[in-house]
Amino acid sequence: QVQLVESGGGLVQAGGSLRLSCAASGRTFARNAMGWFRQAPGKERKFVAAISWDSITTNYAELVKGRFTISRDDAKNTVYLRMDSLKPEDAAVYYCAGATRRAYTTRVSEYDYWGQGTQVTVSS
């Protein structure tokens, strides 16, 4: 059974930082693209960041570009999202996702595996 388990969420003040982790089990994602999405209450799930299987290519939503960094450690089968200069509007449940493709994608529909999410709250 494939599982993605996020951790690292929590409450942080505006301007602060968090690092989210997503540990995969049940299969290796070393040859697959990985991504992060977020969903605020009452809103649709939106793309945040993605990374190709070889870490050469990354992509970020405009709202987080320059503040968030996605990375991966295939030896640990784990993907990370470093979030700096957090803003209240970054508050959401953050989801890790794994694709069966190698190139990154920003589309929810092109990810096959999802974690349960981790809550990020940013106080002003």
Side-chain angles (χ1 to χ4, degrees):
Q1 181 182 359
V2 177
Q3 283 190 312
L4 299 177
V5 179
E6 301 97 334
S7 60
L11 173 64
V12 63
Q13 287 188 332
S17 299
L18 284 174
R19 190 180 79 155
L20 305 183
S21 299
C22 172
S25 62
R27 64 160 283 172
T28 176
F29 284 89
R31 292 182 175 81
N32 303 108
M34 300 292 291
W36 286 95
F37 291 76
R38 67 187 183 187
Q39 188 167 18
K43 297 189 176 181
E44 63 181 13
R45 192 168 298 187
K46 293 187 177 180
F47 169 74
V48 174
I51 187 168
S52 62
W53 72 280
D54 55 5
S55 299
I56 291 177
T57 309
T58 57
N59 187 266
Y60 298 91
E62 283 298 323
L63 290 175
V64 308
K65 199 171 289 186
R67 300 187 296 121
F68 290 13
T69 304
I70 188 171
S71 62
R72 61 192 299 161
D73 184 342
D74 293 328
K76 296 181 179 180
N77 215 17
T78 299
V79 64
Y80 303 97
L81 184 68
R82 171 74 182 189
M83 305 186 294
D84 295 315
S85 302
L86 281 161
K87 305 175 181 180
E89 51 264 42
D90 293 319
V93 176
Y94 282 72
Y95 295 91
C96 169
T100 54
R101 53 187 285 163
R102 294 190 176 191
Y104 78 80
T105 176
T106 65
R107 299 183 177 183
V108 171
S109 61
E110 294 184 346
Y111 286 88
D112 303 280
Y113 303 96
W114 292 86
Q116 82 291 346
T118 186
Q119 178 71 50
V120 171
T121 304
V122 184
S123 63
S124 57

